[in-house]
Amino acid sequence: MATKLIAKGAEAEVYKTSAFGTDAILKDRKPKAYRIRELDEGIRSARTRSEAKATSIADSIGVRVPNILFVKRYQLFITYIEGSQMSALMQQGRRISKGLLMQVGKYLGMLHNAGIAHGDFTPANILIDSKGEPWVIDFGLSSISDSIEEKALDLLLMKRSIDRASYAYFIEGYSSKAHACKIVLTRLSEIEKRGRYNERS
Ligand SMILES: Nc1ncnc2c1ncn2[C@@H]1O[C@H](COP(=O)(O)OP(=O)(O)O)[C@@H](O)[C@H]1O
Ligand SMILES: [Mg+2]
């Protein structure tokens, strides 16, 4: 099968390809000329490894994620998920059900319980398959962290990306799973207050 470029982000080029006889995604972190070479290689390989690691941990705790097929220094091969980005469905005006939004919230709660902050938890990084099930992708900016701040930032990013009613369902799911949900939600309000203060100053 031919390899086809499907996305070119700030961080990586994403191709649809095949590996081990199945459809696969190749995430290739290209060099950044503006970085010192040693530093650039360190960042690219660290992000490749941490994306593989966080994805595997997510899988082991029951969050629906693609499988890691293999990892090279700057390249990740993962199983291809047939589906649409939640963000694309929203842009098309498609209704996202309460159950789906709650499930996405539950997944984030489970990740946080396992000490993973996703780092880019937006509807662009949730794929919805033909059965309407959500898959979490793109752990490239994730960290293994118990930082309340980073967890609150995961919530903030989602809050800014979806409407109020959808966010309420998302938080209902999140709160049903995340052990530290109260502390994280309190921090989120603090960050939002800080933001308002900063905007005024
Ligand atoms: N496993 C996958 N299966 C199907 N599509 C994928 C998969 N991983 C990524 N994609 C598609 O490629 C896009 C970019 O991949 P992503 O991992 O989000 O990288 P980035 O946002 O850093 O460019 C995704 O938004 C999605 O549309
Ligand atoms: Mg992405």
Side-chain angles (χ1 to χ4, degrees):
M1 189 192 129
T3 295
K4 183 175 159 235
L5 183 69
I6 60 168
K8 198 169 172 169
E11 239 232 310
E13 290 179 0
V14 178
Y15 298 87
K16 185 173 180 191
T17 181
S18 61
F20 305 126
T22 70
D23 287 347
I25 285 284
L26 160 61
K27 203 163 170 178
D28 192 3
R29 287 182 166 82
K30 297 284 186 198
K32 297 264 179 246
Y34 60 80
R35 282 188 204 134
I36 296 165
R37 192 164 64 92
E38 285 74 16
L39 184 66
D40 182 58
E41 289 175 355
I43 291 172
R44 286 156 61 219
S45 69
R47 293 214 176 129
T48 302
R49 272 181 280 121
S50 73
E51 176 159 19
K53 187 173 175 187
T55 306
S56 307
I57 295 172
D59 185 42
S60 73
I61 59 166
V63 173
R64 203 181 272 105
V65 291
N67 290 322
I68 303 293
L69 294 168
F70 61 96
V71 186
K72 289 196 188 173
R73 192 137 194 232
Y74 310 119
Q75 293 180 330
L76 210 58
F77 288 79
I78 54 186
T79 50
Y80 180 78
I81 307 303
E82 191 73 60
S84 308
Q85 286 175 305
M86 192 168 129
S87 52
L89 296 177
M90 288 171 144
Q91 273 156 23
Q92 291 161 22
R94 301 267 285 275
R95 195 182 146 270
I96 310 293
S97 73
K98 175 180 179 181
L100 194 93
L101 290 156
M102 280 186 68
Q103 188 58 55
V104 173
K106 285 179 187 175
Y107 282 159
L108 186 64
M110 290 157 72
L111 292 172
H112 286 181
N113 289 345
I116 298 172
H118 183 280
D120 196 15
F121 204 72
T122 69
N125 287 326
I126 307 291
L127 298 181
I128 312 294
D129 70 18
S130 58
K131 293 182 193 143
E133 301 284 1
W135 297 71
V136 182
I137 61 164
D138 196 1
F139 287 79
L141 294 175
S142 69
S143 52
I144 308 291
S145 155
D146 270 315
S147 153
I148 301 297
E149 182 90 4
E150 285 185 36
K151 292 175 182 176
L153 289 172
D154 276 346
L155 292 183
L156 182 61
L157 212 49
M158 188 54 84
K159 187 173 185 177
R160 287 187 175 164
S161 313
I162 60 183
D163 63 56
R164 268 169 170 270
S166 299
Y167 179 71
Y169 295 144
F170 165 77
I171 284 295
E172 194 178 328
Y174 179 78
S175 305
S176 74
K177 288 282 178 191
H179 304 319
C181 75
K182 265 189 130 173
I183 304 172
V184 177
L185 285 167
T186 304
R187 178 63 66 90
L188 173 60
S189 322
E190 286 166 14
I191 295 172
E192 288 180 306
K193 275 183 213 138
R194 257 190 255 155
R196 275 201 291 279
Y197 178 76
N198 290 341
E199 277 160 27
R200 262 190 263 124
S201 62

